[in-house]
Amino acid sequence: MAHIDASHFSRDASVELSEALAKPASYKLLYFPVLSNGATGRDLLAYGGIEWAHAAPADWKADKEKTPFQLVPVLYVTGENGKTVTLAEMVVIEHYLAKKFDLLGSNEYEESIIKSLHSSSAAIQNAFAGSVTWNLPEAKAGALGFFTAATLPIWIAAHERHLIDNGNNGHYLGDKLSLADIRTANTIEHFAAQPESATLMEIVNKSAPLIKLRDTVAKHPKLVQWRSGNDYKRYYEGNLAFYANPAAFMG
């Protein structure tokens, strides 16, 4: 499946498009060759054990015009009926895949808990990107200091509480892997791949519940297989290069 022009959402034959989402045959995730906000989606696809493909923008200045919001990730879902649906926005993509692969709990209440924790971890990562990653070099030290002194400890304390409430077993809910587990683990991996990783991880590593969650996710057999492969390693190396010099990487 080629990278399609999805600058506009299709409004034709919505019943058929809905059927494609309900009965998918294959998936294609469009994202840069880094982990970052594509990491959780790729983990979910790997966990699902289904047919999926990677795609990276060949020319982002041109390709972004073919996405709904000029942003990635974008997920293309091709149904058994041959119709292809475009899903845009990270949260929408991750919720859809998590629902497909039974990672949203066993009832609506559990789903709301998982989505809340997922939202919190996505927000802290985006807060770091906005306040530190894309800040001017001369302002980064001050921004990092505020993030590590205020924002990060509040997030850690809140998530520790929920993990301890669940028995500190490496999961947020029961003893089963969920979207929230995977998203928080990827947020920690994101911090570990930053130029400021020593400062960030010194704080995160003090939280035994969060580190246990990170290790629990990393040891899941389906994710071990994916993360030990060449594609994941390439994206991890891309992360290191990108965050060392975002402007140069984007070229």
Side-chain angles (χ1 to χ4, degrees), residues 9 68-69 71-75 87-95:
F9 290 114
F69 302 113
L71 294 169
V72 287
V74 171
L75 181 69
L87 293 183
E89 291 294 283
M90 176 188 69
V91 170
V92 172
I93 290 168
E94 293 172 9
H95 284 184

Side-chain angles (χ1 to χ4, degrees), residues 109 159-160 215 240:
Y109 176 66
H159 283 254
E160 277 185 335
D215 292 342
L240 298 179

Side-chain angles (χ1 to χ4, degrees), residues 177-201:
L177 191 70
S178 74
L179 171 62
D181 298 345
I182 296 173
R183 190 61 177 83
T184 294
N186 272 306
T187 294
I188 296 172
E189 300 298 348
H190 184 76
F191 292 147
Q194 300 301 314
E196 305 86 2
S197 62
T199 300
L200 294 164
M201 293 308 296

Side-chain angles (χ1 to χ4, degrees), residues 110-160:
E110 290 184 358
E111 180 176 331
S112 70
I113 294 174
I114 290 168
K115 286 182 175 179
S116 295
L117 292 160
H118 169 272
S119 177
S120 173
S121 292
I124 192 73
Q125 183 172 325
N126 288 334
F128 178 81
S131 63
V132 180
T133 301
W134 295 104
N135 214 328
L136 296 174
E138 59 270 22
K140 274 196 174 185
L144 178 65
F146 179 81
F147 184 84
T148 56
T151 310
L152 184 58
I154 292 172
W155 176 77
I156 289 173
H159 283 254
E160 277 185 335

Side-chain angles (χ1 to χ4, degrees), residues 42-55:
R42 291 185 183 122
D43 272 355
L44 293 170
L45 289 164
Y47 175 88
I50 41 74
E51 180 183 347
W52 67 287
H54 311 260

